[in-house]
Amino acid sequence: MSVSSTSSVAPVNFIPFHNTEQFHHEVRAQLSQDIEVLFAYAELPSPLLDACRYVMTGTGKLVRPLLVASAFSSTYSHNDSDNATHHKNSMANGDGLETLLENDSDYDMCRRAALAVELLHTYSLVHDDLPCMDDDELRRGQPTAHIVFEEATALLAGDVLQTLAFEVLTAEMPTFAPFDSAITSQLFAIFAPRARRMVSGQMLDLNAEARNDITQDDLEAIHRDKTGALIEAAMLMGGICAGATAPQRMALQECAQHIGLAFQVQDDILDVTTSTDTLGKPAGSDEKLDKSTYVKLMGVEQATSYAQSLFNDGRAAINREFSDRELGDSKDNDALIALIEWLWARKK
C-alpha cells in the first residue's frame, strides 16, 4: 500500500471492497497513520501523550472503525456509480491518484468518523479498567493504562480521548481535506446521543451487578446502550459519509441494532469459553464481578444460538436494502456482509 505523506491520499482499495483480509488491513493501516496525525496535531504533554498512544496503538480488533469503513464502502459502491465513472475518467486523463483523492472530502470524513468512534471506544475501555470500575490489569494483551502510567494519568487519558473523539470531526489536520460542514452536522447528531447512551448503559450494567432478577429484556436494555449504541453510530456515520439514503440509513440502523446485541452475547460466551491469552484480557472477569450476562441467563448453548439468530437478522437487513447488487449471502461481494461473517467467526 502506497500512501503519500503530504496529501490526503487514501489506499485505493479502501473504497471498493475486494476481500476481507485486504480491506481490513488497509483500514487498520490508514487508521494507524491517522492516529499519529491526530496526536501531532493535539500537542499533548507527557505522560498524557504516551498513555494515549499506548492505548490507541495496541492490538485491538478495531471493530468500530471497520464498521465505519464497511458501511462507507458498501453504501458508496452501491450509490456512487457516477463518482466511480468520474474517478476512472480522471485517472484516464492522467490526473493521478494523489490529485484524484486530495479533495475527496467524503472519504476524509469517513476517516474522521473512524477515528472518532475508536477514540470514544478506547476512552471507555481505559475508564472501565480503572480500580473504581472493573479493576482490570490486562487489556488487548498488554497491561492496562493505570498499571503502566498510574491511575491519574489513565483517568486523564480517557478524558482527553473522549474530547478528541468530537474534535477530530472538525479539526484542521494535515493529510485531511477540510471538513464538510453538512456531513459534520449529521455526524454530530448521530454520534453525541449515542456516546451519551454508551455511558448510560455502563451505569445500568453496574446497577445490574450481583442481581439475580435480571431478565433478557433487562439485559438487552443495558447492552443496546452500553455496546450497541456505538456500533450503531459507527455504521450510520459510515453510511452518512457515503451519502446513504433514508432507506439505507434505516437498514444500517436495523443491522447495527442486531449486530450490537450479537457482539455482546458473543463477548459473554467468550468470557467463559476462551483463555486469557486468546482474549487479551482476563477470562472469567464477568463471573468475578458477578455481572449479569447472557450466559448466566441462558447458558452457553442457548446464548450461542441467540447470537447466530442476531447475526442472521443483521445480514438480512443489509441484503434487503442492497438486494439489487445480487449480494445474496455471499461474503465475497460486500464489505458489510463480509464483516458480519468475520465477526461471527471471531474468537476474541
Side-chain angles (χ1 to χ4, degrees):
M1 180 180 64
S2 176
V3 179
S4 169
S5 61
T6 59
S7 66
S8 62
V9 178
V12 69
N13 288 325
F14 180 83
I15 294 173
F17 173 80
H18 294 303
N19 66 72
T20 306
E21 183 178 355
Q22 178 187 20
F23 185 82
H24 290 190
H25 169 75
E26 290 175 351
V27 172
R28 291 187 176 109
Q30 184 69 61
L31 183 72
S32 178
Q33 293 178 24
D34 292 344
I35 287 169
E36 292 304 322
V37 170
L38 173 65
F39 286 155
Y41 155 85
E43 298 183 341
L44 302 174
S46 291
L48 183 60
L49 173 61
D50 306 311
C52 288
R53 181 175 281 117
Y54 177 78
V55 297
M56 286 292 294
T57 57
T59 55
K61 296 180 292 295
L62 303 181
V63 169
R64 290 146 190 87
L66 287 171
L67 283 166
V68 174
S70 297
F72 178 86
S73 178
S74 295
T75 306
Y76 183 94
S77 58
H78 184 270
N79 290 350
D80 239 348
S81 59
D82 289 342
N83 258 1
T85 300
H86 170 69
H87 284 191
K88 290 178 182 178
N89 290 340
S90 296
M91 293 294 286
N93 291 334
D95 293 341
L97 181 60
E98 294 191 12
T99 301
L100 179 64
L101 294 176
E102 203 163 46
N103 297 309
D104 193 342
S105 60
D106 290 351
Y107 171 74
D108 281 7
M109 290 307 301
C110 176
R111 289 169 59 197
R112 291 175 186 271
L115 265 174
V117 296
E118 184 59 20
L119 287 160
L120 194 81
H121 175 58
T122 304
Y123 124 73
S124 74
L125 300 182
V126 172
H127 280 193
D128 275 354
D129 292 336
L130 290 173
C132 62
M133 294 282 282
D134 291 348
D135 195 17
D136 277 327
E137 297 184 356
L138 191 68
R139 172 72 68 175
R140 292 175 169 174
Q142 60 186 16
T144 47
H146 69 273
I147 297 297
V148 177
F149 295 96
E150 299 186 346
E151 188 173 349
T153 301
L155 179 69
L156 290 174
D159 289 343
V160 80
L161 291 177
Q162 183 188 38
T163 63
L164 284 170
F166 291 89
E167 185 177 359
V168 75
L169 294 177
T170 58
E172 294 183 2
M173 296 183 295
T175 82
F176 284 83
F179 72 92
D180 184 304
S181 58
I183 293 177
T184 300
S185 64
Q186 296 178 65
L187 295 181
F188 275 122
I190 291 294
F191 193 39
R194 286 165 178 81
R196 180 254 304 157
R197 282 175 52 199
M198 182 189 74
V199 178
S200 295
Q202 291 170 319
M203 187 75 256
L204 292 174
D205 190 39
L206 288 174
N207 290 345
E209 287 181 7
R211 286 181 55 186
N212 295 317
D213 60 344
I214 297 295
T215 67
Q216 184 172 338
D217 287 343
D218 293 330
L219 271 183
E220 292 193 359
I222 293 168
H223 295 301
R224 285 190 187 281
D225 283 353
K226 181 186 177 186
T227 304
L230 192 54
I231 285 176
E232 197 175 301
M235 289 183 65
L236 285 170
M237 290 166 80
I240 285 167
C241 291
T245 63
Q248 288 170 343
R249 294 188 193 193
M250 291 177 64
L252 290 170
Q253 181 163 336
E254 182 183 347
C255 177
Q257 288 170 347
H258 294 307
I259 297 304
L261 280 182
F263 192 84
Q264 183 60 52
V265 178
Q266 269 189 315
D267 271 359
D268 290 354
I269 295 167
L270 292 171
D271 188 69
V272 300
T273 61
T274 306
S275 68
T276 294
D277 287 343
T278 300
L279 285 176
K281 60 183 180 180
S285 60
D286 290 341
E287 184 177 4
K288 180 187 74 173
L289 296 169
D290 200 13
K291 285 185 175 290
S292 297
T293 69
Y294 287 94
V295 170
K296 186 177 179 180
L297 183 68
M298 300 177 167
V300 171
E301 185 176 346
Q302 189 176 349
T304 301
S305 178
Y306 182 47
Q308 175 71 84
S309 70
L310 288 166
F311 275 116
N312 289 342
D313 289 342
R315 186 189 300 108
I318 297 302
N319 282 334
R320 282 196 303 270
E321 182 54 38
F322 298 107
S323 59
D324 61 336
R325 298 180 63 199
E326 299 181 354
L327 294 180
D329 287 329
S330 172
K331 64 183 180 181
D332 298 323
N333 297 326
D334 179 82
L336 268 179
I337 297 299
L339 184 58
I340 291 169
E341 299 289 346
W342 180 79
L343 288 173
W344 171 240
R346 74 186 178 102
K347 300 301 180 184
K348 61 180 181 177

